Amino acid sequence: MAPETNQHRLPTDTDTGMLLVISGPSGAGKTTITRAVERAMPGAVFSVSATTRAKTDADVDGVDYHFVSEEQFQQMVERDEFLEYAGVYGKRYGTPRAWVFEQLRRGRLVILEIDVQGAKIVKGKVPEMFSVFILPPSEEELLRRLRSRKREDEQKIQRRFAAAKQEILDAERSGVYDRFIVNNVLEASITEAIGAVQAELNRRSRRG
Ligand code: 5GP
């Protein structure tokens, strides 16, 4: 849950919030940066996706994801409850549409941590979204980080590594991302991400 201090309205003079999409391959530091942006920005809320992937010990149900069965996910698709949904590593992930639009209507900064496929779909539906892609400093460093998480066996790590390289290519070609941030030193990357979001909010509020 977002802390109480994050619950006030954005300092904009319109009723419309901003949709912020953050993507990046696993191991790039995306989740840490996303959560730091959420804590730092007034009025920020994190969109909790539904997923069919298994919950790990690091996950909190309802905070990181809503963990649902294949059947539940399919029902949500059929009821048209997702702003976008995609398959990632054979599992399904989806963004709750009604919640996102309700938060935007309240003037919030709504943060989606989603993959490139999802970002492309959201761009088609909400072209005014602001999007950031987090890059690892190098391929070698990405592989080292994936291994150091000790979350998976080597075969899965290699699969994520190949997928990560592909995702970076897709992101660069997509034309969807406003900013690419190379996460070399975490604290500096957090500052850069917060600065980029703040600059965009300022730009929009000046524009009126
Ligand atoms: P993980 O299982 O490691 O938490 O996430 C795997 C990938 O799925 C990450 O790239 C993450 O950003 C992405 N993801 C998480 N939620 C969503 C969602 O609702 N939609 C889409 N398209 N991707 C998501």
Side-chain angles (χ1 to χ4, degrees):
M1 274 300 139
E4 202 51 39
T5 50
N6 271 352
Q7 298 301 313
H8 35 80
R9 291 161 59 84
L10 280 174
T12 56
D13 51 7
T14 71
D15 259 345
T16 318
M18 185 166 90
L19 190 59
L20 170 63
V21 169
I22 302 184
S23 309
S26 31
K30 165 191 50 172
T31 304
T32 313
I33 294 171
T34 300
R35 292 300 191 171
V37 171
E38 181 195 0
R39 280 193 303 275
M41 301 303 298
V45 283
F46 179 83
S47 163
V48 181
S49 295
T51 184
T52 61
R53 87 145 159 78
K55 182 180 162 308
T56 68
D57 290 344
D59 295 312
V60 179
D61 195 4
V63 174
D64 298 296
Y65 288 105
H66 297 295
F67 292 93
V68 299
S69 66
E70 293 285 350
E71 292 71 27
Q72 286 170 314
F73 194 98
Q74 188 54 34
Q75 281 171 7
M76 294 167 94
V77 170
E78 281 160 21
R79 290 196 298 254
D80 202 19
E81 290 180 15
F82 293 123
L83 175 59
E84 62 74 38
Y85 61 94
V88 183
Y89 307 117
K91 300 294 175 187
R92 305 178 86 187
Y93 296 78
T95 301
R97 187 222 315 275
W99 185 88
V100 165
F101 284 127
E102 173 59 21
Q103 298 301 319
L104 286 174
R105 208 183 52 73
R106 292 187 196 177
R108 301 278 173 82
L109 174 70
V110 182
I111 307 176
L112 310 187
E113 190 197 314
I114 60 175
D115 76 341
V116 178
Q117 309 170 69
K120 286 183 194 165
I121 297 169
V122 176
K123 182 76 181 172
K125 296 185 175 174
V126 187
E128 64 274 21
M129 76 179 197
F130 184 67
S131 54
V132 176
F133 192 88
I134 310 295
L135 287 163
S138 65
E139 288 187 1
E140 296 70 32
E141 177 60 16
L142 175 63
L143 189 55
R144 198 192 63 73
R145 287 183 194 173
L146 287 173
R147 288 195 172 124
S148 73
R149 297 203 295 187
K150 298 193 172 52
R151 206 166 93 170
E152 292 151 332
D153 60 31
E154 184 62 23
Q155 197 191 349
K156 276 208 181 124
I157 288 170
Q158 288 298 338
R159 202 166 67 141
R160 282 203 184 246
F161 182 51
K165 287 192 283 186
Q166 187 57 50
E167 180 155 30
I168 292 168
L169 277 178
D170 288 348
E172 287 168 347
R173 289 180 188 146
S174 70
V176 154
Y177 291 93
D178 297 294
R179 283 288 291 266
F180 286 83
I181 294 178
V182 179
N183 181 21
N184 206 342
V185 177
L186 184 61
E187 280 311 315
S189 303
I190 289 172
T191 305
E192 191 178 343
I194 292 168
V197 174
Q198 190 58 62
E200 180 63 17
L201 286 169
N202 294 347
R203 196 181 69 79
R204 291 183 186 205
S205 74
R206 274 198 307 273
R207 210 179 41 185

